[in-house]
Amino acid sequence: MRRLPWVTAALVGCAALLSTLDGLPARLEYDRALVRAGELWRPLTAQLVHWTPRMALADLAALALLGGWLEARGRRRGLAAGLLLAAAATAVGIHFLLPRLATYRGSSGLAAALFVLVAVELAAGPGPARRRLLAVAALALFAGKVLYETATGRAAAAGALPAGVAVVPLVHLLGGAAGLLAALLTKRRPVPLPRSGAP
């Protein structure tokens, strides 16, 4: 029971519901003017709503798969650290590091964090060399995705966005950094083998 992905299911279910309720995404999205007016929750709640159904599907499917994988392996602590660090990094990034950004929606920073967290754990953990090689390749693919989005201004997975809405590669970079930090902070220490023989 402890390894059932209830944290992931609750997060994905909540985000899916909030993204589909009529009028609610606009009340939760990041809006710089409204944040300055005192609606300080928006940098966080913006990460639970999306601009399009395809964007929501891409973000939430990644969260479901990666979060479920972590919880099934008893890595709920790593999951929580990745999500909290990514949420904080995204909130700070969109408000303080992107002064021209007026509005924002999306869970891609959270998904980026879990992607990097899982890849780092697979690359550093025990197992066949092929799995570690695939994990390193996944990290290289993530870096390539961020570079592509930075160079082209196009979303690699979310599809076409509404007019006036652009991909924000910095969020993916910050999310990835948060995932790496979470992996380092919650790394499992090897259990020492019992000593044999008499003292």
Side-chain angles (χ1 to χ4, degrees):
M1 287 294 292
R2 288 186 301 177
R3 295 198 174 191
L4 290 176
W6 59 268
V7 173
T8 301
L11 174 65
V12 171
C14 178
L17 181 63
L18 293 176
S19 290
T20 56
L21 291 177
D22 189 37
L24 195 55
R27 296 182 183 182
L28 298 177
E29 72 183 15
Y30 173 79
D31 184 306
R32 184 172 296 275
L34 293 177
V35 171
R36 287 176 175 170
E39 298 186 13
L40 302 180
W41 62 86
R42 285 179 177 266
L44 293 173
T45 58
Q47 299 175 59
L48 298 175
V49 294
H50 299 85
W51 293 110
T52 67
R54 179 172 171 176
M55 180 186 184
L57 180 62
D59 285 353
L60 299 183
L63 284 175
L65 290 172
L66 298 166
W69 187 91
L70 288 164
E71 288 196 78
R73 283 152 184 80
R75 293 292 286 125
R76 195 164 283 154
R77 186 166 165 252
L79 171 67
L83 291 174
L84 291 174
L85 288 170
T90 298
V92 169
I94 60 177
H95 189 69
F96 294 104
L97 302 181
L98 297 169
R100 295 183 180 179
L101 185 68
T103 57
Y104 177 84
R105 297 182 191 179
S107 306
S108 56
L110 304 179
L114 297 193
F115 184 88
V116 171
L117 173 57
V118 168
V120 169
E121 293 210 352
L122 288 173
R130 182 174 61 181
R131 187 172 72 179
R132 291 195 293 272
L133 184 61
L134 287 173
V136 172
L139 290 171
L141 182 65
F142 174 79
K145 172 183 177 295
V146 174
L147 288 174
Y148 168 81
E149 292 171 340
T150 302
T152 65
R154 297 177 183 174
L161 297 173
V165 176
V167 67
V168 186
L170 179 64
V171 167
H172 303 158
L173 184 61
L174 291 173
L180 176 60
L181 181 57
L184 296 174
L185 291 175
T186 64
K187 182 180 179 182
R188 285 179 171 170
R189 296 181 180 178
V191 178
L193 296 174
R195 295 181 180 179
S196 60

